[in-house]
């Protein structure tokens, strides 16, 4: 009973989770729910990425269509060509496997987050952390899981769409997510993707 209550709290702790998802869809996407070392936001970031991978068309309807702003950047997305391209891509995407938590990419993401939490830098360059070969997404200033994932999926003003590609790549099977404080942007979230 205790596990069921914890599971429910983790799934619905983010007010941003659309109410249209079924309990089964949320359970299928919530592959990191049993990792006690992860924060709620870290677990939910993995869940949101997996919802987009597992149920791309539903993700468009439930999460993307009415998502019109990146709050921390005060960016209006109502007429965004990047948002429109995400909708088109998700509507054409065949469902992918859910990503599962893995300690190796998690440790890599955690190291970068801790390093940047102290030095205030941004990006993917490491000073003391080992430079591993992963797909990597970094977000700054977002304080909830949905905004982090929507920032990566929409990838506004990033022509390469590298964050989106990492989230929706069929090549990746594992993920590690780490959330930190940041001196300039208050928060940062790092996701590392592994084959």
């Amino acid at each position: 009973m205790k596990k069921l209550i914890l599971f429910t709290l983790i799934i619905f702790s983010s007010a941003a989770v659309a109410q249209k998802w079924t309990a089964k869809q949320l359970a299928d996407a919530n592959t990191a729910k049993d990792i006690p070392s992860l924060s709620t936001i870290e677990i939910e970031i993995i869940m949101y990425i997996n919802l987009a991978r597992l149920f791309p068309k539903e993700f468009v309807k439930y999460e993307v269509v009415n998502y019109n702003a990146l709050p921390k950047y005060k960016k209006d997305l109502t007429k965004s060509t990047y948002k429109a391209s995400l909708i088109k891509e998700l509507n054409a995407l065949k469902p992918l496997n859910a990503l599962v938590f893995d300690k190796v990419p998690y440790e890599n993401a955690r190291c970068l987050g801790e390093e940047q939490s102290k030095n205030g830098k941004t990006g993917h360059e490491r000073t003391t952390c080992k430079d591993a070969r992963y797909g990597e997404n970094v977000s700054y200033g977002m304080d909830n899981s949905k905004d982090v994932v929507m920032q990566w999926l929409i990838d506004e003003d990033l022509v390469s769409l590298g964050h989106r590609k990492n989230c929706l790549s069929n090549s990746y099977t594992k993920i590690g997510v780490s959330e930190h404080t940041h001196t300039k942007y208050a928060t940062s979230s790092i996701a590392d993707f592994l084959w």
Side-chain angles (χ1 to χ4, degrees):
M1 182 69 170
K2 188 176 180 182
K3 247 188 178 173
L4 179 61
I5 291 168
L6 176 62
F7 175 67
T8 304
L9 287 174
I10 287 171
I11 286 180
F12 295 107
S13 65
S14 172
V17 175
Q19 295 302 310
K20 299 188 180 192
W21 293 109
T22 67
K24 182 175 181 348
Q25 287 172 320
L26 291 169
D28 289 349
N30 202 1
T31 59
K33 70 183 179 306
D34 294 325
I35 312 299
S37 58
L38 295 183
S39 72
T40 300
I41 287 179
E42 292 165 343
I43 291 168
E44 288 180 351
I45 287 172
I46 295 170
M47 182 186 72
Y48 269 110
I49 292 170
N50 281 335
L51 285 170
R53 292 171 63 87
L54 291 166
F55 314 105
K57 289 174 182 58
E58 290 93 336
F59 195 84
V60 168
K61 286 191 290 191
Y62 303 159
E63 306 294 344
V64 181
V65 169
N66 293 317
Y67 189 86
N68 292 317
L70 285 170
K72 293 289 181 173
Y73 293 112
K74 296 177 177 55
K75 188 85 173 177
D76 181 9
L77 299 172
T78 7
K79 296 178 183 177
S80 166
T81 57
Y82 288 85
K83 179 181 164 185
S85 76
L86 173 64
I87 290 170
K88 183 177 179 181
E89 184 173 342
L90 288 173
N91 277 327
L93 186 68
K94 290 185 177 164
L96 304 168
N97 291 332
L99 298 171
V100 294
F101 173 82
D102 188 86
K103 192 167 174 136
V104 174
Y106 167 76
E107 290 297 334
N108 193 61
R110 185 181 59 76
C111 187
L112 179 62
E114 287 175 355
E115 188 176 282
Q116 290 185 350
S117 183
K118 292 174 189 164
N119 66 23
K121 292 184 179 179
T122 58
H124 304 280
E125 301 261 337
R126 288 153 164 76
T127 336
T128 57
C129 298
K130 179 182 168 191
D131 190 11
R133 300 287 175 218
Y134 301 107
E136 185 170 72
N137 290 1
V138 185
S139 169
Y140 300 97
M142 299 298 169
D143 55 11
N144 71 67
S145 53
K146 181 175 180 176
D147 288 341
V148 169
V149 174
M150 294 303 281
Q151 181 187 31
W152 290 338
L153 288 173
I154 293 169
D155 240 0
E156 186 74 10
D157 298 329
L158 192 67
V159 178
S160 71
L161 300 177
H163 300 109
R164 183 190 302 178
K165 288 176 183 173
N166 285 340
C167 289
L168 301 178
S169 171
N170 200 29
S171 300
Y172 295 123
T173 59
K174 299 172 185 173
I175 188 171
V177 175
S178 192
E179 173 205 18
H180 296 271
T181 59
H182 193 272
T183 54
K184 184 175 179 184
Y185 294 101
T187 62
S188 70
S189 297
I190 299 105
D192 278 356
F193 301 82
L194 187 61
W195 297 270

